[in-house]
Amino acid sequence: MFPYKANRPLQRLLLAFKRHQYGDTAKRKSSSSSSSPRLVLGIETSCDDTGAAVLSETGAILGESLHSQKEVHLRTGGIIPTVAKQLHMEHIESVVQEALDQSGVDPAQLSAVATTIKPGLALSLGVGLEFSLSFVKRHSTPFIPIHHMEAHALTVRMLQPVSFPFLVLLVSGGHSLLAVARGVDNFLQLGHSLDEAPGETLDKVARRLSLIKHPRCSTLSGGQAIELLAKDGDRMKFPFRTPMGQMYDCCFSFSGLRNQVNMTIEKKEAEEGIEHGTLLSCVNDIAAATQHTVACHLAKRTHRAILFCKANGLLPSLTPTLVVSGGVASNQYIRKALGIIAEATGLRLLCPPAKFCTDNGVMIAWNGVERLREGKGVLHPNVEISYEPKAPLGVDLTSQVKAAAIRVPSIRMNIS
Ligand code: KG4
Ligand code: ZN
């Protein structure tokens, strides 16, 4: 694999080779000085969404398409990797074609194809990667491998000017992490989940509550269902403990909360004399209490991360920014909780609209644009590369954060 701008002699050699092999097309594709902005196709298949988008380097979305497997996985009670793979295989070609058709862009006009290769479900990542490698070979297009969490972190920069460094909280069905974004490929990780991700917890609680049988929730993801029901619930009815109260770092843990919720559900089922699989009368209250505890846990860890950044000069004094993204960041209650922390610490809080928080091809194409502009990780079309189901984001500072043992002043979480 040859990054175009990794080293000058190699780059010259590679360009000479490309001109020889691809003639004028390669010159046009790799050039940023041509009058029309460069175009990137982004492809996402890391979990259960098949997404594609064509973006201009100015950030204009020229075409996009998304096929969600959510309803299938809701019916089977969770993502079955072989089913996810099969559905990606069935849809990837038409999803990519639709994005291209909408954009009116011919594959020969693309400056790069950017595809998620890590982290995610191995079988799902494999479909996107195989499709992309064959596409870039066929059309002689440079290839940009994408880290899914880097893409979530950078999406906000497509929507408004946000300069580095900024603090980012990424919360989804597969991840929760706090990091300082210092550059397109430069992250300091302050904390991550020690067990499951918050979206996974919300999905499992929703499944345990059989919310798919609830008339208002049958097509919603677990997180969406909990948010909707929580609006009519009283969180005070179930005072769940906020996790990791005695751990003074920025890591997360959600499995203990899930145990608390499960025990409550069992107790309530016994009290109401109903069987597992039947809707409880107090689902709204359980949803409200679960959502509140997840929000408080995320807020407290984020608060500590902000104080750590301040103590170590990791954020600019002018407009320090907290970006929140990933599927769980579409939750308005959680956003409000983080808003309280941001206000108390003097940070600007930015959350992309829900459509850009959940997985999509646009965020991958945008990450491709950011990398193309800086010439970072732009590879030759004949590159041999594999996917990586597990891949940390950036340099791990979790032990330094833990050693700092910052006590967070208590803040009233009065969220309406
Ligand atoms: O980022 P994403 O689309 O996929 C992953 O990379 O995981 O996130 C999906 C997760 C699911 O667990 C889903 O339940 C959760 O995001 N989610 C929400 C909401 N919408 C989606 N969680 C809480 N509130 C929401 N409104
Ligand atoms: Zn995601």
Side-chain angles (χ1 to χ4, degrees), residues 146-160:
I146 299 294
H147 190 299
H148 183 83
M149 303 314 285
E150 182 181 300
H152 271 308
L154 299 181
T155 309
V156 69
R157 285 165 48 87
M158 180 187 81
L159 305 164
Q160 64 197 100

Side-chain angles (χ1 to χ4, degrees), residues 175-192:
H175 301 272
S176 53
L177 65 85
L178 274 159
V180 181
R182 302 204 297 178
V184 169
D185 62 347
N186 182 348
F187 289 81
L188 300 176
Q189 200 178 129
L190 306 181
H192 54 260

Side-chain angles (χ1 to χ4, degrees), residues 44 46 148-149 152 172-173 175 326-327 357-359 363:
E44 158 64 29
S46 68
H148 183 83
M149 303 314 285
H152 271 308
S172 70
H175 301 272
C357 279
T358 46
D359 293 351
M363 70 183 205

Side-chain angles (χ1 to χ4, degrees), residues 5-13:
K5 290 191 181 165
N7 98 29
R8 289 255 166 79
L10 181 64
Q11 189 194 349
R12 257 183 260 123
L13 198 78

Side-chain angles (χ1 to χ4, degrees), residues 53-73:
V54 179
L55 239 71
S56 119
E57 70 181 312
T58 59
I61 301 168
L62 305 179
E64 64 177 309
S65 176
L66 187 68
H67 174 265
S68 167
Q69 307 175 358
K70 191 175 73 185
E71 286 193 25
V72 175
H73 299 309

